[in-house]
Amino acid sequence: MNPFSSVYYVKENIKRSLLLIIMFILTFAVYMAGLYISNVESMFNIILEKDKKVALIGSTATDKDCIDYKKAIEILEKKEGITLLHQGIASDIYSTSVMGFNNGYVSYTFQNKEDFQTYCDFTGINIIENNQDRGLCDGSVIMSRLQAANRGMETGDRLVAGTDELVSQEYTLDAITDNDSYSTFYISDTDSARCMVLNNSLDNSAFKSLFKNIETKYNVYVRDYDYYKERTSEQLGNFYYIYFFVIILLSVIMAVTVNAAFAGMYQHRNGEFAIYKAMGIPARKIRFKILSEVLLIDITGLLAGLCIIMAVIYMANNLYLIPHGLKLFYYNNMSMAGMVISNLIILIPVTIFQGSKLVRADICDY
C-alpha cells in the first residue's frame, strides 16, 4: 500500500483514528436534536400534504346571520371542478408531542359517514380498524392509529375531553385510519357555518384565485394549505433559531476539541512532513494528504454514526414511542442542514490549521 495514502496512515494508527472517529460519531447528537425539535412540524406536514387540494371556508364573527357566508357558498355550488362537504359543529382535541407539550392539529367534523368517505377517497386515507358494534354514525370519532395510541384509546372507547379541549358532543372511537400522523375526524349530525371544499380538477392557481376573490368580496375566512403552512412556521420558528444557535455553539466547542486531538495526532509527524517537503513534494499535495486523512476519518465516523442513529431511532420507535403514540422520523431537512453546518465548523479549522502548520515543517529542525 502507498505510504502516502490516507488509508495507509489510518490503518497504521488505528487507535488514534478510532478516537477521532468516535468524536465524529458524537456529532450525530446534532442530527438527533434536529429530529427532536422538528418533530411537531413534520407531523403537521404529513397532514398538510394530504390536504394540499383542500380548503375550508367559514363565516366570521362579524358576518351577522351568516349572510356573506351563504352568498359565498352559493357561488361555490355553481363552480365546476370542486366538491363541497358541509361541516358539523367543530371539536378539537390534543396530542402529546415528543417534546412533552400538548398540541392541536387540523380536524374536521363531517355531517355524515358518506361525506367522510368522500374525503377519505379524495385524500387516500384508509380505515384499517372498525368498531364492529356500531360502524360509522352520528357521534363517531375517527383517529389515526398514532393519535389513538397517544390518547391510549381503542375502538369502542368513549372520547373524554381534557383540559382546554373542545368536544361538542359525546363521541365514540369507531374507526382507526392509516394516516401516519395525528389526525382526528368527527361525524356529527349538526350544522355550522363552515364548509370543506375539495379541488377535483382546478389547477392550484385557479383554486387559490377563486378563494382570494371570495375573501375580497365577502366577509368570510378561508383556511388552506398555505395558511396552515405559514401558521406552523410562525409558531415553531423560534425553536429553529434556538436550534441553530445551540449547534453552532456546540460545534465550536467540538471543533476546538477535535482540533486539539488532531494536533496531538500530527505532532509526532512533523519530521515526516518535513521529509516530504525536503523531497520536493509540493505543498498542495501535502495539504491534500492531510485533507484526505481528515475526510476519511470524518466520513468513517459519519457512516458509523448514521448506522447507529438509524438503529437507535428504529428501536426507540418500535419498542416504546409508536406504542405510546409518539414517533421520531429518520430524516428532516433542518436536521441535515444542522449536521452539515456542524461538520463544516469542525472540519474547516482542522484542515486549515493543521495543514498550514505541517506544510511549514522544515527538515533543518530535525
Side-chain angles (χ1 to χ4, degrees):
M1 184 177 286
N2 181 7
F4 205 73
S5 75
S6 56
V7 176
Y8 176 83
Y9 177 78
V10 171
K11 184 177 179 181
E12 293 299 314
N13 296 267
I14 193 66
K15 289 184 178 179
R16 289 190 178 97
S17 298
L18 277 176
L19 175 62
L20 290 165
I21 287 171
I22 291 172
M23 288 185 177
F24 282 110
I25 290 175
L26 293 176
T27 62
F28 264 90
V30 170
Y31 186 78
M32 193 70 173
L35 294 179
Y36 176 75
I37 291 173
S38 64
N39 186 264
V40 174
E41 184 176 22
S42 296
M43 288 293 181
F44 263 114
N45 286 339
I46 292 175
I47 300 171
L48 294 181
E49 286 303 312
K50 286 187 177 295
D51 285 347
K52 216 164 188 178
K53 300 179 72 174
V54 174
L56 197 70
I57 183 171
S59 174
T60 65
T62 56
D63 180 18
K64 293 183 179 180
D65 299 322
C66 303
I67 294 174
D68 277 13
Y69 169 75
K70 292 174 183 177
K71 290 180 179 178
I73 293 299
E74 287 178 3
I75 293 175
L76 292 172
E77 288 175 336
K78 297 174 183 178
K79 185 72 176 178
E80 294 183 359
I82 62 174
T83 299
L84 303 185
L85 301 177
H86 294 276
Q87 297 285 286
I89 297 175
S91 293
D92 191 23
I93 60 172
Y94 296 140
S95 59
T96 303
S97 70
V98 294
M99 299 180 73
F101 58 80
N102 290 334
N103 201 54
Y105 289 83
V106 181
S107 62
Y108 303 118
T109 303
F110 299 93
Q111 293 184 330
N112 51 64
K113 66 178 182 180
E114 289 78 18
D115 282 358
F116 172 65
Q117 190 59 58
T118 299
Y119 170 80
C120 288
D121 293 340
F122 183 79
T123 56
I125 294 175
N126 298 305
I127 293 175
I128 58 174
E129 186 178 340
N130 272 302
N131 183 352
Q132 298 300 322
D133 295 331
R134 281 168 47 97
L136 297 181
C137 58
D138 179 36
S140 290
V141 59
I142 303 99
M143 297 181 182
S144 64
R145 53 188 161 192
L146 207 60
Q147 177 72 73
N150 195 276
R151 304 278 304 194
M153 294 179 65
E154 298 178 351
T155 53
D157 289 349
R158 304 291 289 176
L159 175 61
V160 179
T163 304
D164 297 329
E165 292 182 323
L166 172 66
V167 176
S168 62
Q169 65 184 71
E170 290 188 354
Y171 286 103
T172 301
L173 180 58
D174 286 327
I176 293 175
T177 70
D178 62 354
N179 192 6
D180 198 22
S181 182
Y182 300 120
S183 60
T184 310
F185 309 107
Y186 308 86
I187 297 178
S188 174
D189 186 17
T190 56
D191 194 14
S192 69
R194 294 196 315 160
C195 186
M196 176 185 288
V197 185
L198 308 181
N199 180 11
N200 297 316
S201 58
L202 299 179
D203 61 58
N204 185 56
S205 59
F207 192 58
K208 290 189 69 64
S209 178
L210 170 65
F211 285 105
K212 186 176 181 180
N213 292 334
I214 287 176
E215 274 192 299
T216 302
K217 189 173 181 180
Y218 299 105
N219 188 15
V220 295
Y221 67 82
V222 175
R223 305 288 183 258
D224 59 4
Y225 173 85
D226 290 336
Y227 170 84
Y228 288 115
K229 195 78 173 175
E230 290 172 8
R231 284 287 302 276
T232 303
S233 298
E234 288 174 5
Q235 293 179 7
L236 301 176
N238 290 335
F239 285 118
Y240 302 149
Y241 290 127
I242 294 171
Y243 169 69
F244 282 109
F245 172 78
V246 171
I247 66 166
I248 290 172
L249 180 63
L250 291 177
S251 298
V252 169
I253 296 172
M254 183 68 78
V256 173
T257 305
V258 172
N259 189 69
F262 269 103
M265 185 177 79
Y266 281 116
Q267 187 173 13
H268 70 287
R269 300 179 66 193
N270 285 339
E272 173 191 344
F273 283 92
I275 292 173
Y276 293 151
K277 185 178 179 182
M279 291 171 61
I281 295 175
R284 173 182 54 79
K285 194 169 183 179
I286 294 174
R287 288 180 185 275
F288 180 78
K289 173 177 171 57
I290 296 167
L291 177 62
S292 64
E293 290 177 0
V294 173
L295 286 178
L296 178 60
I297 291 171
D298 178 42
I299 292 171
T300 303
L302 292 180
L303 290 176
L306 178 65
C307 294
I308 292 171
I309 206 71
M310 292 299 110
V312 168
I313 294 173
Y314 177 82
M315 289 189 292
N317 277 337
N318 289 278
L319 296 179
Y320 180 79
L321 294 177
I322 292 177
H324 289 80
L326 303 168
K327 183 179 181 179
L328 279 174
F329 295 93
Y330 291 93
Y331 175 81
N332 179 269
N333 288 335
M334 187 190 74
S335 298
M336 182 56 68
M339 186 71 184
V340 170
I341 291 171
S342 176
N343 205 246
L344 290 176
I345 290 174
I346 293 170
L347 285 181
I348 291 173
V350 168
T351 53
I352 291 176
F353 294 154
Q354 296 305 321
S356 300
K357 179 180 178 182
L358 292 172
V359 164
R360 292 195 302 268
D362 195 331
I363 193 66
C364 296
D365 297 333
Y366 301 90

